Amino acid sequence: MSLKDIKHITLVLSGKGGVGKSSVTSQLALTLSLQGHSVGVLDIDLTGPSIPRFFGIESEKVKQAPGGWIPVPVHEARKASGEDAQGIEGKELGSLRCMSLGFLLANRGDAVVWRGPKKTAMVRQFLSDVHWGPMDYLLIDTPPGTSDEHISLVETLLKQATPEQLAGAVIVTTPQAISISDVRKEINFCRKTNVSVLGVVENMAGFVCPNCSECTNVFSKGGGEVMAKEFDVPFMGSVPIDPMFIRLIEEGRKPVYPQGTVVEGKDLAGEINEGAVQDDGLLVDKYTACSLCPIFDGMVKKLVSKIEG
Amino acid sequence: MAPSLEEPIQPVDDALDSHLKKAPALVAPEPEHCPGPESQSAGKGDACAGCPNQQICASAPKGPDPDIPVITQRLAGVKHKILVLSGKGGVGKSTFTTMLAHAFASNADNMVGIMDTDICGPSIPKMMGVEAETIHVTNTGWEPVWVSDNLGVMSVQFMLPNRDDAVIWRGPKKNGLIKQFLKDVEWGDMDYLVVDTPPGTSDEHLSVTSFLKESGIDGAVLVTTPQEVSLLDVRKEIDFCHKAGIPILGLVENMSGFVCPSCTHQSEIFRATTGGGRQLAKDTNVPFLGAVPLDPRIGMSCDFGESFFDNFGDSPACKALKEVVRRTGEEMGLDANHVLPDHEDDESMDRPWH
């Protein structure tokens, strides 16, 4: 059984599409890895897998081993080497690996046109036939809705994983009412299936104009926090839109910010003075320069202390 | 069970046809790798061995679904049927659906209907400001919920006892409801029926497509956002349309560019690193209908269930949207001026919707 050696399993859910489930999943994974945990990401969005794109490993293929699949590595574990002056280079890292249907497709533009039973079979197979090995965290990225994939996922997890392993679900939403109304349904889904809600992340909360630093609430504001209060679930925090993060994912560019950008007490500016743009290196190292990194760092610390007690 | 690396793609024709056949009543849930109770190999496949349904599936008559002619009959009065599709979620399918419907309905002579096939996350009722309504059943069928005199809506939201109830349904149940939306709803004589869909390429899309095959679909409008993460999924949706034989009316790029309200600096929030929707349309030989900028007021209008067209008629986003609607009409072979008159006649803009 492939889930046996995994310490904690966390689902990332949202009733609404395009709110940033995959984006939040990948950032949670990167941050957990930066904090030294070994992480696996399982993408069960079968008709629209985005995880391979987020980690920049779209061209990878899954390898087959006797009795199962080998997940695709994003980076290996790295030991801390304290004497490194730059600080970033020597940071301790946990390994990060993924599994997604995207790795099984012959052509990235191919449509996966599947009815329910076939999706159910695939989800079960993903949960039972992937050789994760010993690992601290498994994050499961889901498609929008409350249908076949979700029912099969929770059904299988309740059967195959122990209650201690199944930590719960992180709910992602955007602030506007249209999104909130779908996400309420997802919280009710968790209640009905006895999956505990670890917290709500409000994504795309505000966009800071790079020209005048004026913050615009592109998709309204505060909705996630109000909903969390109403359902009596923890609110984990708001994540603003950062075009530099999107750029990092889309182009692999290391984020650079104008002078005076301070997030969570950390000054992120200054890189621009070096002139040279550093575009190579691991995604996870480049991510440490992103303004969202400190936000997720705080969120993940809270999450980890909650899960590990 | 040993994992297989075989091509995980099911032929779309099979998946589509299985909806057109009569489904036998099953005594147990469909097993993994079920060939589909309606398929020719039902009860005879490898997966059927040991399935409690085997006998039923094998002996059931495999004739065409008797409901298809009923659906065709029911929709005989609907002139144009348009699907709004996107592989990706949250790109603005529902928003665009409501805009399209409002625009069509702004001509008082048009009768317009919206069918919301997103069963697990219905957004249309809230966007149209009719979230609290319920469906009335008359002796001729279910009555759509009327937003205005000439704009009707049907969605699963109207059937929920509580607003926040989750619809935890597997595929076959969702397909059943979509069939009822087509078969039992009194659509009447309509000029346009706009069908909003959930993200993906699965049950809902297959059933809508196969149920409507006989009565004919004018085509699909695909919605995307500019970044590659979204285009990747939309590419799959285009592939689906080609395989399923749905004509594509065109591609709309939503949320392209954001103008800061304080300094009017334009930022590309969702950067089009691979050329955006325009390039995708070119690559796949699909008409490009236009790009609509990101405007926080569109989201606000949707939250309050009001028409963006009415409230902010002269904003750049509204102008772009109108142009997209006109182009959509042109692609359908209609006179753009009839679909949405260019001159903002006061009569149509002052019409009360609520």
Side-chain angles (χ1 to χ4, degrees):
Chain A
M1 201 162 62
S2 75
L3 301 177
K4 183 170 93 242
D5 295 328
I6 298 169
K7 283 191 201 138
H8 310 284
I9 301 172
T10 307
L11 316 182
V12 180
L13 296 174
S14 167
K16 183 97 183 91
V19 295
K21 282 178 298 303
S22 302
S23 156
V24 168
T25 309
S26 56
Q27 293 186 71
L28 285 176
L30 289 172
T31 314
L32 278 166
S33 161
L34 280 169
Q35 294 180 2
H37 303 282
S38 52
V39 193
V41 178
L42 174 62
D43 181 8
I44 63 159
D45 190 344
L46 305 177
T47 53
S50 314
I51 288 293
R53 173 87 197 163
F54 268 96
F55 287 116
I57 44 177
E58 270 188 293
S59 54
E60 299 287 329
K61 289 275 172 279
V62 158
K63 291 193 183 68
Q64 198 165 18
W69 284 322
I70 308 282
V72 174
V74 180
H75 60 248
E76 301 298 336
R78 188 169 69 190
K79 288 255 168 60
S81 51
E83 58 270 7
D84 202 21
Q86 279 183 309
I88 302 167
E89 283 299 314
K91 215 166 173 183
E92 189 188 346
L93 281 182
S95 68
L96 175 54
R97 290 168 303 160
C98 329
M99 184 67 206
S100 165
L101 189 72
F103 299 133
L104 299 174
L105 296 178
N107 190 333
R108 68 197 283 265
D110 282 346
V112 176
V113 187
W114 283 358
R115 303 190 316 135
K118 196 122 191 189
K119 291 198 282 192
T120 300
M122 196 63 189
V123 170
R124 287 200 189 135
Q125 207 170 336
F126 269 157
L127 286 172
S128 57
D129 294 339
V130 180
H131 283 303
W132 294 108
M135 196 165 66
D136 295 330
Y137 285 91
L138 176 66
L139 303 176
I140 303 183
D141 186 23
T142 61
T146 49
S147 193
D148 291 284
E149 292 93 332
H150 307 79
I151 303 173
S152 319
L153 172 69
V154 173
E155 234 173 39
T156 316
L157 282 179
L158 291 176
K159 235 185 281 167
Q160 296 196 351
T162 61
E164 294 79 47
Q165 276 182 307
L166 186 57
V170 172
I171 308 271
V172 186
T173 184
T174 50
Q176 78 271 40
I178 284 293
S179 168
I180 299 281
S181 65
D182 283 352
V183 175
R184 286 159 176 273
K185 290 174 195 283
E186 201 73 28
I187 296 185
N188 278 325
F189 169 81
C190 289
R191 297 239 156 116
K192 273 195 183 155
T193 52
N194 285 324
V195 173
S196 66
V197 177
L198 294 169
V200 173
V201 178
E202 186 181 82
N203 196 19
M204 305 196 196
F207 168 73
V208 179
C209 175
N211 190 35
C212 67
S213 308
E214 166 91 5
C215 182
T216 312
N217 295 308
V218 182
F219 300 106
S220 167
K221 71 178 269 205
E225 193 162 4
V226 171
M227 183 193 66
K229 223 172 248 162
E230 191 187 323
F231 278 87
D232 201 21
V233 290
F235 180 68
M236 290 168 63
S238 292
V239 182
I241 299 174
D242 182 0
M244 283 302 161
F245 174 71
I246 299 164
R247 214 154 161 198
L248 168 68
I249 295 303
E250 294 269 306
E251 299 170 54
R253 298 281 290 273
K254 186 171 178 167
V256 278
Y257 297 92
Q259 284 293 340
T261 313
V262 179
V263 179
E264 306 256 306
K266 193 176 158 194
D267 193 358
L268 289 161
E271 304 276 348
I272 208 161
N273 301 337
E274 288 169 27
V277 189
Q278 303 151 323
D279 283 349
D280 33 298
L282 294 178
L283 174 70
V284 66
D285 289 333
K286 283 185 268 183
Y287 179 64
T288 53
C290 180
S291 74
L292 301 181
C293 184
I295 297 173
F296 270 89
D297 191 51
M299 251 189 312
V300 166
K301 270 185 189 140
K302 268 188 249 166
L303 195 66
V304 165
S305 70
K306 194 168 174 198
I307 293 173
E308 296 181 357
Chain B
M1 183 180 54
S4 60
L5 276 173
E6 61 180 293
E7 188 76 349
I9 312 239
Q10 185 180 13
V12 178
D13 286 345
D14 276 11
L16 273 174
D17 284 348
S18 66
H19 280 282
L20 298 172
K21 305 277 167 56
K22 199 166 134 193
L26 304 183
V27 294
E30 295 170 42
E32 289 177 21
H33 304 300
C34 174
E38 312 87 357
S39 71
Q40 282 301 328
S41 57
K44 294 172 199 139
D46 292 340
C48 299
C51 173
N53 299 318
Q54 190 180 11
Q55 212 52 46
I56 302 170
C57 290
S59 59
K62 305 229 166 31
D65 187 339
D67 287 333
I68 299 292
V70 182
I71 292 174
T72 312
Q73 178 67 35
R74 181 64 99 174
L75 296 178
V78 180
K79 286 196 201 128
H80 302 288
K81 297 168 212 77
I82 305 157
L83 301 182
V84 179
L85 296 174
S86 167
K88 184 98 186 93
V91 295
K93 285 179 297 303
S94 301
T95 308
F96 183 72
T97 306
T98 55
M99 300 285 181
L100 199 59
H102 275 307
F104 286 149
S106 65
N107 182 345
D109 298 336
N110 287 339
M111 285 296 274
V112 185
I114 300 181
M115 187 173 97
D116 184 4
T117 62
D118 193 342
I119 310 289
C120 295
S123 311
I124 294 286
K126 194 173 182 70
M127 288 186 182
M128 296 305 257
V130 288
E131 210 187 1
E133 300 285 333
T134 49
I135 297 170
H136 298 283
V137 181
T138 66
N139 54 0
T140 51
W142 302 352
E143 186 72 20
V145 171
W146 294 97
V147 180
S148 64
D149 290 343
N150 61 346
L151 180 51
V153 178
M154 181 52 74
S155 166
V156 72
Q157 183 73 39
F158 303 136
M159 308 163 88
L160 300 180
N162 297 307
R163 192 170 64 131
D164 297 340
D165 282 349
V167 181
I168 310 175
W169 285 1
R170 287 190 183 273
K173 222 168 156 184
K174 293 194 283 189
N175 298 338
L177 184 68
I178 291 171
K179 191 192 260 187
Q180 277 191 295
F181 277 175
L182 292 166
K183 184 167 72 87
D184 296 339
V185 174
E186 183 54 60
W187 291 109
D189 287 331
M190 286 227 162
D191 296 279
Y192 303 96
L193 179 64
V194 188
V195 182
D196 187 26
T197 61
T201 49
S202 194
D203 288 287
E204 295 91 336
H205 311 82
L206 285 168
S207 19
V208 171
T209 319
S210 47
F211 292 150
L212 288 180
K213 208 165 203 174
E214 210 146 297
S215 43
I217 300 172
D218 281 62
V221 177
L222 296 159
V223 186
T224 186
T225 49
Q227 79 276 38
E228 179 60 28
V229 172
S230 167
L231 297 176
L232 181 63
D233 290 350
V234 176
R235 215 168 270 135
K236 292 178 198 289
E237 201 74 29
I238 294 176
D239 185 40
F240 168 77
C241 287
H242 286 323
K243 283 179 180 164
I246 309 167
I248 298 176
L249 294 174
L251 182 72
V252 186
E253 185 180 277
N254 197 13
M255 307 193 197
S256 68
F258 170 70
V259 178
C260 174
S262 95
C263 70
T264 68
H265 174 80
Q266 173 147 4
S267 329
E268 291 177 58
I269 294 190
F270 302 108
R271 249 177 98 85
T273 49
T274 50
R278 201 178 291 272
Q279 188 61 40
L280 176 67
K282 210 188 236 169
D283 292 346
T284 49
N285 225 350
V286 163
F288 185 69
L289 298 177
V292 181
L294 186 59
D295 187 330
R297 293 173 300 183
I298 295 182
M300 258 161 56
S301 299
C302 288
D303 278 1
F304 292 114
E306 289 164 1
S307 166
F308 178 69
F309 282 134
D310 293 3
N311 293 350
F312 306 100
D314 47 3
S315 64
C318 186
K319 290 204 177 101
L321 269 164
K322 281 185 175 155
E323 194 48 43
V324 170
V325 172
R326 286 167 60 85
R327 285 275 291 124
T328 311
E330 277 170 25
E331 289 296 330
M332 287 163 65
L334 303 171
D335 179 9
N337 279 321
H338 180 75
V339 176
L340 189 68
D342 204 9
H343 55 93
E344 256 98 89
D345 46 9
D346 295 329
E347 182 259 332
S348 76
M349 297 312 284
D350 288 344
R351 280 170 41 78
W353 306 106
H354 308 292

